[in-house]
Amino acid sequence: MKRSIIPFFSILILSWSIGFSQTTSEIKEDFKPSTLNQPGQEYPQVNSQGYARFRIHAPAADSVRVSLGLGGRGGTKLTKGEDGFWVGTTEGPLDEGFHYYNVNVDGGKFNDPGALNFYGSVRWESGIEIPAHDQDFYAIKDVPHGRVQQILFPSKSTNTSRRAFVYTPPGYDKDQKTKYPVLYLQHGWGEDETAWTNQGRANLIMDNLIATGKIKPFLIVMTYGMTNEIKWGGIRDFKIEPFQTVLVDELIPYVDANFRTLANQSNRAMAGLSMGGMETKMITLNKPEVFSQYALLSGGTYKPEDIKDKSKVKLIFLSCGSKERPDGVKSATVALKEAGFNTVSYISEGTAHEFQTWRRSLYELAPLLFKN
Amino acid sequence: MKRSIIPFFSILILSWSIGFSQTTSEIKEDFKPSTLNQPGQEYPQVNSQGYARFRIHAPAADSVRVSLGLGGRGGTKLTKGEDGFWVGTTEGPLDEGFHYYNVNVDGGKFNDPGALNFYGSVRWESGIEIPAHDQDFYAIKDVPHGRVQQILFPSKSTNTSRRAFVYTPPGYDKDQKTKYPVLYLQHGWGEDETAWTNQGRANLIMDNLIATGKIKPFLIVMTYGMTNEIKWGGIRDFKIEPFQTVLVDELIPYVDANFRTLANQSNRAMAGLSMGGMETKMITLNKPEVFSQYALLSGGTYKPEDIKDKSKVKLIFLSCGSKERPDGVKSATVALKEAGFNTVSYISEGTAHEFQTWRRSLYELAPLLFKN
């Protein structure tokens, strides 16, 4: 199993160096505050081409740099103005969607005081949003909204009360007779159970899909998947058992006992992004009696011979960004289809190993789940 | 009404300069990471006397200061070590409980990369926790836990989907026949709807009280109260109407339609801290037909003559920290009692205008609510 872990790191690092979608010579001066800024904050800003501009107050600093920008060149260097503010614009446009970043002030790593924070890289990072041509599917709209419920569930194996978030669709509380299928949805390395709603906007994607009648409503359960290791490099020694125990033996029974679920294999799916895909692969293969639908988002592939009992698998979904070596996903899909698996693949155009790929992947995956 | 706003600011500023509970000469070297650190982070640390020690990486900086410390002296100055880390310890012990802070690096205001962030002062600030002698009442314990549900409710008056959090007690989903009273609970100036659970641990306070049978379970609803102004100084022009409309005409009907509430005046309470107390006072006086139980936590007082119809008021609760001029609360309580109001006051010993005062206040208030 260990071998399969390495590619996620390679992909992650690759994505940092190809974060630009093009280079243009003329920068349009139509910058607006990022939608992920803290209330009332004017910076960072984004223009209609996808350039980002930063502005940081540090009057006595000698050097201020932002980690977003051309990878090999160490991000974007800011220039100090007479007012004590450091300002700079990325050398090229950024990919559409969400990006993590941080600010280096005189050699120390801090966050941008103007931006909201998002948990990634085992720290709360600054976030910026480059408006995407397809942002409508994850926008907050005037439609019925589901809820995101924070639960604390008892975990004997870790001797803690652990946190999870449960998305319940609009109307969940109204009709007490309806029971729902459940998708267990995992974050990536260095992220946590907040990522799929904060960065991924999973609840809004679901609200919008449900409002248009495109999907059968289901619950989504999100919990912390780095049960045993949180340090850099720890993933090499990653063992799935601690998290598998929390998920399968503790969280699933708790959810089935406390929410109105269809508590059986055919109504249970698991999906994960990046490291969460690795976990999804390991757990679905270890526990074929628990999940019937599997999805790996920028998180590896299955080989037909990985799967012992074909009759237990109703759907395999594989996805990644077009900037992430999609050949692996494509060839695995061909092989799985040839072996008779109901397999769907999706390549997110123009995106790398980042949340826009995974927002789109969830949007593509949701209508395929729990079809019968 | 405008006059009554000024004291909150005075108190707030006062509390900054009296954040120390004592001065001792010997600092015990039993420092441990603050419980509010980011995962895996060793600093900031706190010792058994309440001193805080900070450690910030900024090898090329000329000056690093932490805002926590002796008020008049501009916080705690850190000293650079040869490893590029700046280290410093507060000159005295801090008050028990939660404190906001930030880090000044070469004149710019940043957060401590080691600490979790909490929304206060109209920005996400760093937070540190000084272990309190009474921390048991807000600890995470192995008891049944309620849920914190994020809802998005439609608001015509502001033309947005607005966010609120709803605490539902353990078992809320199990017994579909039970209906619950509701406490509407407001944050302070510069905070938002996340404050009462993140900083205040309101959900854990409720879980623990319910587990010991000390209170009748109820719902708590928390939403954003700075509807019209988020800028410094804006509170002087504060008008209650925009928020009152959101709360009374939009949120309450939504909650009553979507949760199992006892939807009447006698089962509805409102409480708020600091500016939220000011809002509570204004709204309860404007809308006596909506709420029957009022609580101002470090948020001013009522005069008997403020209240037109005494028969509508079942409880008035007034509280503050002992370091916040408690005489106002005490004399108002005497006057209200003399005028025949069921009034309870509470002074939090050894705390100022900070969340430890308000955690304790909620703990004292909850058993008094919805008694019949």
Side-chain angles (χ1 to χ4, degrees):
Chain A
M1 275 297 174
K2 268 187 187 173
R3 290 258 116 203
S4 68
I5 297 168
I6 310 304
F8 302 116
F9 266 94
S10 321
I11 289 168
L12 186 66
I13 287 156
L14 184 70
S15 75
W16 287 344
S17 57
I18 58 168
F20 289 98
S21 52
Q22 52 175 315
T23 39
T24 52
S25 49
E26 191 87 12
I27 300 181
K28 286 190 189 162
E29 285 300 327
D30 57 356
F31 286 88
K32 288 180 189 154
S34 159
T35 55
L36 300 184
N37 283 3
Q38 295 196 23
Q41 294 296 316
E42 287 294 311
Y43 285 83
Q45 298 196 338
V46 180
N47 82 352
S48 60
Q49 299 161 296
Y51 285 79
R53 181 168 289 168
F54 303 91
R55 186 169 180 267
I56 305 283
H57 187 242
D62 297 316
S63 151
V64 178
R65 235 176 342 105
V66 169
S67 63
L68 268 181
L70 290 174
R73 302 190 205 170
T76 301
K77 277 188 151 182
L78 309 192
T79 308
K80 188 157 94 174
E82 288 178 9
D83 56 359
F85 283 89
W86 294 74
V87 180
T89 306
T90 53
E91 269 191 75
L94 301 169
D95 288 346
E96 291 184 342
F98 174 86
H99 303 281
Y100 294 109
Y101 72 101
N102 53 66
V103 182
N104 189 300
V105 182
D106 283 350
K109 191 194 275 189
F110 298 93
N111 285 342
D112 185 340
L116 291 174
N117 302 314
F118 300 85
Y119 197 68
S121 310
V122 197
R123 68 184 297 273
W124 286 87
E125 290 254 288
S126 297
I128 191 169
E129 183 78 27
I130 309 299
H133 73 281
D134 57 346
Q135 62 186 321
D136 190 64
F137 79 84
Y138 52 87
I140 297 191
K141 295 187 199 177
D142 187 16
V143 298
H145 293 289
R147 298 182 194 160
V148 178
Q149 309 199 17
Q150 176 189 292
I151 61 169
L152 295 171
F153 65 97
S155 162
K156 281 191 182 164
S157 71
T158 60
N159 198 27
T160 52
S161 287
R162 301 186 71 83
R163 185 169 72 165
F165 293 100
V166 180
Y167 169 82
T168 56
Y172 174 83
D173 265 26
K174 286 283 170 67
D175 176 7
Q176 290 292 329
K177 283 176 200 147
T178 307
K179 294 185 172 186
Y180 295 84
V182 186
L183 167 64
Y184 289 82
L185 183 60
Q186 288 305 123
H187 59 82
W189 183 88
E191 296 169 345
D192 70 7
E193 65 273 24
T194 62
W196 265 109
T197 50
N198 284 358
Q199 291 92 304
R201 303 171 79 99
N203 53 324
L204 299 175
I205 293 171
M206 291 293 289
D207 290 346
N208 292 338
L209 277 168
I210 291 167
T212 57
K214 283 182 186 161
I215 62 166
K216 188 172 161 180
F218 54 86
L219 309 188
I220 301 182
V221 178
M222 298 155 278
T223 198
Y224 185 57
M226 296 176 73
T227 306
N228 42 350
E229 268 303 336
I230 56 160
K231 301 220 190 271
W232 276 104
I235 201 169
R236 285 170 192 274
D237 302 316
F238 189 84
K239 290 188 181 62
I240 195 63
E241 288 72 21
F243 177 56
Q244 183 175 291
T245 299
V246 168
L247 181 71
V248 174
D249 300 337
E250 296 172 346
L251 179 56
I252 291 177
Y254 185 89
V255 168
D256 285 337
N258 289 281
F259 290 83
R260 296 197 317 281
T261 64
L262 293 161
N264 54 51
Q265 190 256 8
S266 64
N267 284 292
R268 213 179 279 124
M270 183 170 181
L273 72 89
S274 195
M275 186 199 75
M278 179 192 79
E279 295 177 333
T280 299
K281 181 177 171 176
M282 289 176 171
I283 292 175
T284 51
L285 293 178
N286 287 346
K287 298 282 178 182
E289 71 281 12
V290 178
F291 303 98
S292 59
Q293 292 154 76
Y294 315 165
L296 312 183
L297 321 181
S298 309
T301 59
Y302 293 91
K303 289 179 198 146
E305 60 268 30
D306 289 337
I307 298 161
K308 282 166 210 146
D309 184 353
K310 196 162 77 177
S311 71
K312 285 210 154 44
V313 186
K314 286 164 70 177
L315 173 73
I316 296 175
F317 179 90
L318 303 174
S319 76
C320 70
S322 70
K323 296 185 172 187
E324 285 190 277
R325 305 179 184 162
D327 287 352
V329 163
K330 286 176 187 167
S331 58
T333 304
V334 170
L336 287 162
K337 279 184 176 171
E338 277 175 5
F341 289 96
N342 175 27
T343 310
V344 176
S345 70
Y346 167 70
I347 310 299
S348 167
E349 197 49 47
T351 62
H353 199 73
E354 295 198 87
F355 250 105
Q356 192 68 5
T357 300
W358 306 318
R359 291 170 176 166
R360 290 176 180 166
S361 295
L362 178 60
Y363 181 74
E364 296 293 324
L365 169 65
L368 307 173
L369 292 173
F370 314 117
K371 297 287 276 190
N372 48 0
Chain B
M1 275 302 175
K2 268 188 189 171
R3 291 256 115 206
S4 68
I5 297 167
I6 310 303
F8 302 117
F9 266 94
S10 320
I11 290 167
L12 187 65
I13 286 156
L14 182 70
S15 75
W16 288 344
S17 57
I18 57 168
F20 289 98
S21 51
Q22 51 175 315
T23 40
T24 51
S25 49
E26 192 86 12
I27 300 181
K28 285 191 189 159
E29 283 302 326
D30 57 356
F31 285 89
K32 288 180 188 157
S34 159
T35 55
L36 300 184
N37 283 2
Q38 295 197 23
Q41 294 295 317
E42 288 293 311
Y43 284 85
Q45 298 194 340
V46 181
N47 81 353
S48 60
Q49 299 161 297
Y51 285 79
R53 180 168 290 168
F54 304 91
R55 186 170 181 265
I56 306 282
H57 188 241
D62 296 315
S63 152
V64 178
R65 234 175 344 104
V66 169
S67 63
L68 266 182
L70 289 174
R73 302 190 205 172
T76 302
K77 275 187 153 183
L78 309 191
T79 308
K80 189 158 94 173
E82 288 180 9
D83 56 358
F85 283 89
W86 294 73
V87 179
T89 306
T90 53
E91 269 190 75
L94 301 169
D95 287 347
E96 293 185 341
F98 174 86
H99 304 280
Y100 295 107
Y101 72 102
N102 53 65
V103 182
N104 188 303
V105 181
D106 283 350
K109 191 194 277 188
F110 298 93
N111 285 343
D112 184 339
L116 292 174
N117 303 312
F118 300 85
Y119 198 69
S121 309
V122 199
R123 69 184 297 272
W124 286 88
E125 290 254 287
S126 297
I128 191 169
E129 183 79 27
I130 308 299
H133 73 282
D134 57 347
Q135 63 188 321
D136 189 65
F137 79 84
Y138 52 87
I140 297 191
K141 296 188 197 175
D142 187 16
V143 298
H145 292 289
R147 299 181 194 162
V148 178
Q149 309 199 19
Q150 175 189 291
I151 61 169
L152 295 170
F153 65 97
S155 163
K156 281 191 181 166
S157 71
T158 59
N159 198 27
T160 52
S161 288
R162 300 186 73 83
R163 185 169 71 165
F165 292 100
V166 180
Y167 169 82
T168 56
Y172 175 84
D173 265 26
K174 286 280 169 68
D175 175 7
Q176 290 292 329
K177 282 175 200 148
T178 308
K179 294 185 173 187
Y180 296 84
V182 186
L183 167 65
Y184 289 83
L185 183 62
Q186 288 306 125
H187 59 83
W189 183 89
E191 296 170 345
D192 69 9
E193 65 273 24
T194 62
W196 263 110
T197 49
N198 284 358
Q199 290 93 302
R201 304 171 78 101
N203 52 323
L204 299 176
I205 293 170
M206 290 293 289
D207 291 346
N208 292 338
L209 277 169
I210 291 167
T212 57
K214 284 183 186 161
I215 62 167
K216 189 172 160 182
F218 54 85
L219 309 188
I220 301 182
V221 178
M222 299 155 278
T223 198
Y224 185 58
M226 296 177 74
T227 306
N228 41 349
E229 266 304 335
I230 57 161
K231 304 222 189 266
W232 277 102
I235 202 169
R236 283 168 193 277
D237 303 316
F238 189 82
K239 289 187 183 64
I240 195 63
E241 288 72 21
F243 177 57
Q244 182 174 292
T245 300
V246 167
L247 181 71
V248 175
D249 300 337
E250 296 172 344
L251 179 56
I252 290 177
Y254 185 88
V255 169
D256 285 337
N258 288 283
F259 290 83
R260 296 196 318 281
T261 63
L262 293 163
N264 54 52
Q265 191 255 8
S266 63
N267 285 291
R268 213 179 278 123
M270 184 170 181
L273 73 88
S274 193
M275 186 198 77
M278 178 192 79
E279 294 177 334
T280 299
K281 180 176 172 176
M282 289 175 170
I283 292 175
T284 51
L285 294 178
N286 287 346
K287 298 282 178 182
E289 72 281 12
V290 177
F291 302 98
S292 58
Q293 292 153 77
Y294 316 164
L296 313 183
L297 320 181
S298 308
T301 58
Y302 294 91
K303 289 179 198 146
E305 60 268 29
D306 289 337
I307 297 161
K308 281 166 210 145
D309 183 353
K310 195 162 75 177
S311 71
K312 285 209 152 46
V313 185
K314 286 164 69 177
L315 172 73
I316 296 176
F317 179 90
L318 304 175
S319 77
C320 70
S322 70
K323 296 186 172 188
E324 285 190 276
R325 303 180 185 163
D327 287 352
V329 162
K330 286 176 187 166
S331 58
T333 303
V334 170
L336 286 162
K337 279 184 175 169
E338 278 175 4
F341 290 96
N342 174 28
T343 309
V344 177
S345 70
Y346 167 70
I347 309 299
S348 166
E349 197 49 47
T351 62
H353 198 71
E354 297 199 84
F355 250 104
Q356 192 69 4
T357 300
W358 307 319
R359 291 171 177 167
R360 290 176 180 167
S361 296
L362 178 59
Y363 181 74
E364 296 293 325
L365 169 65
L368 307 173
L369 292 173
F370 314 118
K371 298 286 274 189
N372 47 0

